[in-house]
Amino acid sequence: MTANVLGVADGRALGCSTRVIVTRPRSLATASAAVDEVLAAIDLAASRFRDDSELSRLNASPDRVVGVSPLLAHAIEAALRGAELTGGAVDPTVGSAVRLAGYDADFDAVPREGAAIRLVARRIPGWKAIQFSAAQRTVVVPGGVELDLGATGKALASDLAAAAALQAMGGGGVLVNLGGDIAVAGEHPLDGWAIQASEDGATPLSDAEQTVSITSGGVATSGTTVRRWVRGATVLHHIIDPATGLPVDTCWRTVTVAAGTCVDANIASTAAVVMGERAPAWLRAHGLAARLVHVDGSVHRLAGWPETGKSKADPTIL
Ligand code: AMP
Ligand code: MG
């Protein structure tokens, strides 16, 4: 534990805003450099928006056994684990579905409005189509399948960046926030890391918003209100229902989850949006503290998520 004099650095990476906070302000530059290095490596390994990424090259080599870097292997493993834990609600084979819905470039470059597009409902290929060997670090992506690591990859980047920053600092504590995917490592401020649960990660800190505090693990938010666009008369967003391959028609517009790692929090938050009405039972069964905002605006708090004000949501291991 440490007194609350923190160092804060804001930036932009992986198509979202980033924030690094350290408990020992003198270590801020060291922590930020370590974070930047991890984010650049993840971008080069797992971005679907750059042709030179390892993921783009993998997607362009169907039906072949492809050797992958330890980092991409880690990201694929996390994505497949998410699929298994959620019964396929979170599934990295959403790639072509996300692209066909119009999210085909870094989000800043996706026009918010445009002409109508033809949407065809079709179940996504499914994660079981991917042949992955963690031991050999090889992957076979069948023809017609596009891997998208947008959900778990960014959360993994947060976890790895926090761990790398802690190691580089050689002590102290750090919080890394990548557009709402938050991981902490090392020591924490006196009352824990205060995290504001907002629907939009860009919301300025305010007393009107609910704050929770964590001392380890991660918090992730997934939702349909921020990454959305309009084609013709249809409002589209970035979370795909694997059953239809289309943006999911869900009762939750925003879900925030605390867990033992940011990856686990993100698996659960994305899954909850996809699961809709089934999400509360699934989250309770896993003992995950969660805050769900219904499309009617009502807020539902589960498994120890505090009712109001500043208090603690203890992370659970998924
Ligand atoms: P998140 O904001 O963490 O919930 O992740 C959403 C991102 O993950 C989207 O921008 C897509 O790139 C990808 N995605 C969309 N739907 C799914 C899904 N059902 N399973 C896994 N990844 C998805
Ligand atoms: Mg996320």
Side-chain angles (χ1 to χ4, degrees):
M1 276 199 268
T2 179
N4 290 349
V5 183
L6 304 173
V8 182
D10 290 325
R12 225 181 143 72
L14 307 182
C16 57
S17 54
T18 65
R19 170 165 282 196
V20 178
I21 311 180
V22 294
T23 55
R24 300 178 187 175
R26 266 179 309 172
S27 304
L28 185 60
T30 306
S32 292
V35 169
D36 288 349
E37 200 176 311
V38 170
L39 301 190
I42 281 273
D43 196 49
L44 193 57
S47 170
R48 70 186 171 94
F49 302 128
R50 40 190 294 186
D51 293 339
D52 64 341
S53 76
E54 216 190 331
L55 180 67
S56 294
R57 283 186 275 120
L58 174 64
N59 279 332
S61 311
D63 297 318
R64 293 226 303 268
V65 180
V66 178
V68 292
S69 67
L71 188 54
L72 184 57
H74 197 159
I76 291 172
E77 194 168 21
L80 295 176
R81 180 168 161 274
E84 189 159 18
L85 281 166
T86 61
V90 177
D91 186 318
T93 65
V94 293
S96 45
V98 181
R99 194 168 43 74
L100 290 172
Y103 188 178
D104 54 3
D106 194 275
F107 194 67
D108 291 340
V110 173
R112 299 298 181 264
E113 292 189 10
I117 54 174
R118 194 161 157 266
L119 291 166
V120 180
R122 186 176 347 150
R123 172 172 282 283
I124 64 165
W127 60 285
K128 290 180 180 163
I130 305 298
Q131 293 168 42
F132 172 66
S133 164
Q136 309 287 322
R137 272 200 277 117
T138 56
V139 192
V140 181
V141 178
V145 178
E146 267 179 56
L147 282 182
D148 174 341
L149 304 173
T152 46
K154 191 150 65 73
L156 177 65
S158 262
D159 284 329
L160 295 178
L166 179 62
Q167 197 185 9
M169 293 188 300
V174 59
L175 175 149
V176 176
N177 180 3
L178 302 181
D181 284 350
I182 296 167
V184 302
E187 69 182 12
H188 54 80
L190 273 178
D191 297 324
W193 293 103
I195 292 171
Q196 177 171 298
S198 306
E199 297 204 61
D200 182 346
T203 308
L205 295 175
S206 135
D207 286 346
E209 301 277 332
Q210 192 193 8
T211 307
V212 293
S213 86
I214 62 166
T215 53
S216 65
V219 171
T221 298
S222 296
T224 61
T225 60
V226 180
R227 298 204 169 209
R228 58 163 56 205
W229 56 97
V230 180
R231 293 293 176 269
T234 309
V235 178
L236 298 155
H237 65 76
H238 72 137
I239 300 188
I240 299 293
D241 182 350
T244 63
L246 299 174
V248 64
D249 184 11
T250 175
C251 60
W252 309 116
R253 66 182 197 208
T254 306
V255 179
T256 304
V257 179
T261 63
C262 187
V263 166
D264 283 359
N266 193 95
I267 288 169
S269 64
T270 308
V273 172
V274 172
M275 287 178 184
E277 312 258 322
R278 294 186 295 118
W282 186 87
L283 289 162
R284 271 196 206 97
H286 288 87
L288 290 164
R291 177 180 187 270
L292 301 92
V293 184
H294 196 271
V295 286
D296 69 11
S298 58
V299 177
H300 302 242
R301 301 172 179 89
L302 292 183
W305 193 279
E307 277 304 312
T308 51
K310 298 175 194 290
S311 49
K312 207 166 184 146
D314 276 327
T316 312
I317 310 294
L318 191 64

